[in-house]
Amino acid sequence: MITIETTINADLAKVWDRWIKPEHIVKWNFASDDWHCLKAENDLMKEGKFSSTMAAKDGSFSFDFSGTYAYVEELKRIESIMEDGRKMSVSFIKDGTLIKVVEEFEPEKENNIEMQKAE
């Protein structure tokens, strides 16, 4: 599993809102400043679908990222299965005024794990 985590000084409901709503997803769902998220769709419920299109800003490459939700506990945890069968989870942990967001996902097999961790 690959784990990515960050701590945010914000209200839990606001962090959750920014994570799940398409109008916010398109503002953060990319790995670096030379990429952007062109569109996002999200049906946040068990067996609901999610998808987004990410693209290089220079137009050289784009790809779709999608999957199905397996478990949703509002304001706490989301588990999903990506279209390629890999499992992913996101936990939202309140610690005083801080929110720790922990995302875990199975690495893909096309690129080595160290490269995936670095991006």
Side-chain angles (χ1 to χ4, degrees):
M1 294 294 267
I2 295 175
T3 302
I4 301 168
E5 50 183 80
T6 191
T7 301
I8 303 165
N9 186 7
D11 176 72
L12 176 58
K14 183 176 183 177
V15 173
W16 179 265
D17 181 74
R18 298 308 190 267
W19 189 270
I20 67 168
K21 291 189 176 175
E23 64 265 27
H24 299 300
I25 293 169
V26 295
K27 295 177 183 174
W28 60 259
N29 192 24
F30 40 88
S32 62
D33 289 340
D34 53 341
W35 282 78
H36 57 163
C37 184
L38 300 174
K39 70 175 185 165
E41 296 177 8
N42 197 24
D43 184 17
L44 185 66
M45 68 168 93
K46 186 174 182 181
E47 298 182 12
K49 306 283 186 191
F50 64 89
S51 68
S52 59
T53 299
M54 289 173 248
K57 287 182 178 177
D58 68 5
S60 64
F61 187 78
S62 71
F63 67 94
D64 293 323
F65 177 78
S66 61
T68 303
Y69 292 110
Y71 176 84
V72 177
E73 185 176 357
E74 189 172 349
L75 301 174
K76 292 190 179 189
R77 187 167 174 85
I78 301 169
E79 296 176 7
S80 58
I81 300 172
M82 293 181 264
E83 190 173 84
D84 63 7
R86 295 180 294 138
K87 294 179 182 175
M88 177 176 62
S89 69
V90 183
S91 298
F92 300 81
I93 304 158
K94 186 168 174 51
D95 183 14
T97 62
L98 302 175
I99 307 303
K100 185 175 183 181
V101 180
V102 181
E103 183 174 2
E104 297 179 301
F105 57 94
E106 294 176 339
E108 45 97 348
K109 295 180 177 147
E110 188 174 311
N111 297 293
N112 74 52
I113 195 166
E114 293 310 315
M115 186 186 86
Q116 292 177 65
K117 286 180 179 180
E119 292 187 10

PDB file of all heavy atoms in Angstrom, residues 62-74:
ATOM      1  N   SER A  62      -3.554  12.947 -21.367  1.00  0.00           N
ATOM      2  CA  SER A  62      -4.646  12.993 -20.398  1.00  0.00           C
ATOM      3  C   SER A  62      -5.096  11.567 -20.111  1.00  0.00           C
ATOM      4  O   SER A  62      -4.809  10.649 -20.888  1.00  0.00           O
ATOM      5  CB  SER A  62      -5.815  13.826 -20.920  1.00  0.00           C
ATOM      6  OG  SER A  62      -6.477  13.168 -21.970  1.00  0.00           O
ATOM      7  N   PHE A  63      -5.776  11.394 -18.994  1.00  0.00           N
ATOM      8  CA  PHE A  63      -6.324  10.085 -18.665  1.00  0.00           C
ATOM      9  C   PHE A  63      -7.529  10.254 -17.747  1.00  0.00           C
ATOM     10  O   PHE A  63      -7.682  11.258 -17.069  1.00  0.00           O
ATOM     11  CB  PHE A  63      -5.265   9.173 -18.027  1.00  0.00           C
ATOM     12  CG  PHE A  63      -4.793   9.618 -16.670  1.00  0.00           C
ATOM     13  CD1 PHE A  63      -5.375   9.125 -15.511  1.00  0.00           C
ATOM     14  CD2 PHE A  63      -3.754  10.529 -16.545  1.00  0.00           C
ATOM     15  CE1 PHE A  63      -4.929   9.539 -14.264  1.00  0.00           C
ATOM     16  CE2 PHE A  63      -3.306  10.944 -15.315  1.00  0.00           C
ATOM     17  CZ  PHE A  63      -3.900  10.441 -14.162  1.00  0.00           C
ATOM     18  N   ASP A  64      -8.378   9.233 -17.773  1.00  0.00           N
ATOM     19  CA  ASP A  64      -9.540   9.196 -16.899  1.00  0.00           C
ATOM     20  C   ASP A  64      -9.224   8.318 -15.699  1.00  0.00           C
ATOM     21  O   ASP A  64      -8.537   7.302 -15.825  1.00  0.00           O
ATOM     22  CB  ASP A  64     -10.756   8.647 -17.634  1.00  0.00           C
ATOM     23  CG  ASP A  64     -11.228   9.580 -18.733  1.00  0.00           C
ATOM     24  OD1 ASP A  64     -11.160  10.800 -18.529  1.00  0.00           O
ATOM     25  OD2 ASP A  64     -11.660   9.083 -19.784  1.00  0.00           O
ATOM     26  N   PHE A  65      -9.724   8.726 -14.560  1.00  0.00           N
ATOM     27  CA  PHE A  65      -9.537   8.013 -13.301  1.00  0.00           C
ATOM     28  C   PHE A  65     -10.935   7.768 -12.750  1.00  0.00           C
ATOM     29  O   PHE A  65     -11.706   8.721 -12.580  1.00  0.00           O
ATOM     30  CB  PHE A  65      -8.707   8.896 -12.355  1.00  0.00           C
ATOM     31  CG  PHE A  65      -8.504   8.321 -10.994  1.00  0.00           C
ATOM     32  CD1 PHE A  65      -7.566   7.336 -10.784  1.00  0.00           C
ATOM     33  CD2 PHE A  65      -9.254   8.781  -9.917  1.00  0.00           C
ATOM     34  CE1 PHE A  65      -7.370   6.805  -9.515  1.00  0.00           C
ATOM     35  CE2 PHE A  65      -9.062   8.258  -8.646  1.00  0.00           C
ATOM     36  CZ  PHE A  65      -8.121   7.273  -8.459  1.00  0.00           C
ATOM     37  N   SER A  66     -11.292   6.497 -12.519  1.00  0.00           N
ATOM     38  CA  SER A  66     -12.650   6.220 -12.076  1.00  0.00           C
ATOM     39  C   SER A  66     -12.712   4.975 -11.210  1.00  0.00           C
ATOM     40  O   SER A  66     -11.759   4.201 -11.134  1.00  0.00           O
ATOM     41  CB  SER A  66     -13.571   6.065 -13.286  1.00  0.00           C
ATOM     42  OG  SER A  66     -13.145   4.990 -14.091  1.00  0.00           O
ATOM     43  N   GLY A  67     -13.853   4.805 -10.564  1.00  0.00           N
ATOM     44  CA  GLY A  67     -14.057   3.646  -9.724  1.00  0.00           C
ATOM     45  C   GLY A  67     -15.437   3.656  -9.080  1.00  0.00           C
ATOM     46  O   GLY A  67     -16.305   4.460  -9.434  1.00  0.00           O
ATOM     47  N   THR A  68     -15.597   2.750  -8.109  1.00  0.00           N
ATOM     48  CA  THR A  68     -16.865   2.549  -7.422  1.00  0.00           C
ATOM     49  C   THR A  68     -16.633   2.566  -5.924  1.00  0.00           C
ATOM     50  O   THR A  68     -15.653   1.991  -5.439  1.00  0.00           O
ATOM     51  CB  THR A  68     -17.467   1.184  -7.827  1.00  0.00           C
ATOM     52  OG1 THR A  68     -17.606   1.148  -9.248  1.00  0.00           O
ATOM     53  CG2 THR A  68     -18.825   0.958  -7.176  1.00  0.00           C
ATOM     54  N   TYR A  69     -17.525   3.207  -5.204  1.00  0.00           N
ATOM     55  CA  TYR A  69     -17.416   3.238  -3.745  1.00  0.00           C
ATOM     56  C   TYR A  69     -17.874   1.919  -3.136  1.00  0.00           C
ATOM     57  O   TYR A  69     -18.912   1.373  -3.503  1.00  0.00           O
ATOM     58  CB  TYR A  69     -18.237   4.398  -3.171  1.00  0.00           C
ATOM     59  CG  TYR A  69     -17.654   5.733  -3.530  1.00  0.00           C
ATOM     60  CD1 TYR A  69     -18.295   6.572  -4.419  1.00  0.00           C
ATOM     61  CD2 TYR A  69     -16.434   6.136  -3.002  1.00  0.00           C
ATOM     62  CE1 TYR A  69     -17.749   7.799  -4.765  1.00  0.00           C
ATOM     63  CE2 TYR A  69     -15.874   7.354  -3.353  1.00  0.00           C
ATOM     64  CZ  TYR A  69     -16.536   8.173  -4.224  1.00  0.00           C
ATOM     65  OH  TYR A  69     -15.982   9.379  -4.571  1.00  0.00           O
ATOM     66  N   ALA A  70     -17.090   1.414  -2.189  1.00  0.00           N
ATOM     67  CA  ALA A  70     -17.416   0.183  -1.478  1.00  0.00           C
ATOM     68  C   ALA A  70     -17.971   0.478  -0.080  1.00  0.00           C
ATOM     69  O   ALA A  70     -18.731  -0.313   0.470  1.00  0.00           O
ATOM     70  CB  ALA A  70     -16.166  -0.698  -1.361  1.00  0.00           C
ATOM     71  N   TYR A  71     -17.581   1.637   0.481  1.00  0.00           N
ATOM     72  CA  TYR A  71     -17.992   1.985   1.848  1.00  0.00           C
ATOM     73  C   TYR A  71     -17.865   3.490   2.025  1.00  0.00           C
ATOM     74  O   TYR A  71     -16.873   4.075   1.601  1.00  0.00           O
ATOM     75  CB  TYR A  71     -17.078   1.262   2.845  1.00  0.00           C
ATOM     76  CG  TYR A  71     -17.313   1.602   4.288  1.00  0.00           C
ATOM     77  CD1 TYR A  71     -18.307   0.962   5.023  1.00  0.00           C
ATOM     78  CD2 TYR A  71     -16.535   2.562   4.926  1.00  0.00           C
ATOM     79  CE1 TYR A  71     -18.515   1.272   6.359  1.00  0.00           C
ATOM     80  CE2 TYR A  71     -16.745   2.874   6.262  1.00  0.00           C
ATOM     81  CZ  TYR A  71     -17.730   2.234   6.972  1.00  0.00           C
ATOM     82  OH  TYR A  71     -17.936   2.541   8.296  1.00  0.00           O
ATOM     83  N   VAL A  72     -18.877   4.092   2.641  1.00  0.00           N
ATOM     84  CA  VAL A  72     -18.834   5.522   2.932  1.00  0.00           C
ATOM     85  C   VAL A  72     -19.373   5.740   4.340  1.00  0.00           C
ATOM     86  O   VAL A  72     -20.494   5.344   4.645  1.00  0.00           O
ATOM     87  CB  VAL A  72     -19.677   6.343   1.934  1.00  0.00           C
ATOM     88  CG1 VAL A  72     -19.669   7.815   2.312  1.00  0.00           C
ATOM     89  CG2 VAL A  72     -19.185   6.154   0.507  1.00  0.00           C
ATOM     90  N   GLU A  73     -18.565   6.323   5.198  1.00  0.00           N
ATOM     91  CA  GLU A  73     -18.992   6.750   6.523  1.00  0.00           C
ATOM     92  C   GLU A  73     -18.767   8.258   6.565  1.00  0.00           C
ATOM     93  O   GLU A  73     -17.620   8.727   6.630  1.00  0.00           O
ATOM     94  CB  GLU A  73     -18.198   6.057   7.624  1.00  0.00           C
ATOM     95  CG  GLU A  73     -18.698   6.398   9.004  1.00  0.00           C
ATOM     96  CD  GLU A  73     -17.983   5.634  10.115  1.00  0.00           C
ATOM     97  OE1 GLU A  73     -17.118   4.780   9.822  1.00  0.00           O
ATOM     98  OE2 GLU A  73     -18.297   5.922  11.278  1.00  0.00           O
ATOM     99  N   GLU A  74     -19.856   9.006   6.479  1.00  0.00           N
ATOM    100  CA  GLU A  74     -19.780  10.456   6.337  1.00  0.00           C
ATOM    101  C   GLU A  74     -18.881  11.092   7.386  1.00  0.00           C
ATOM    102  O   GLU A  74     -18.949  10.768   8.572  1.00  0.00           O
ATOM    103  CB  GLU A  74     -21.174  11.067   6.426  1.00  0.00           C
ATOM    104  CG  GLU A  74     -21.184  12.535   6.074  1.00  0.00           C
ATOM    105  CD  GLU A  74     -22.578  13.114   5.982  1.00  0.00           C
ATOM    106  OE1 GLU A  74     -23.556  12.361   5.991  1.00  0.00           O
ATOM    107  OE2 GLU A  74     -22.670  14.335   5.878  1.00  0.00           O
TER     108      GLU A  74
END
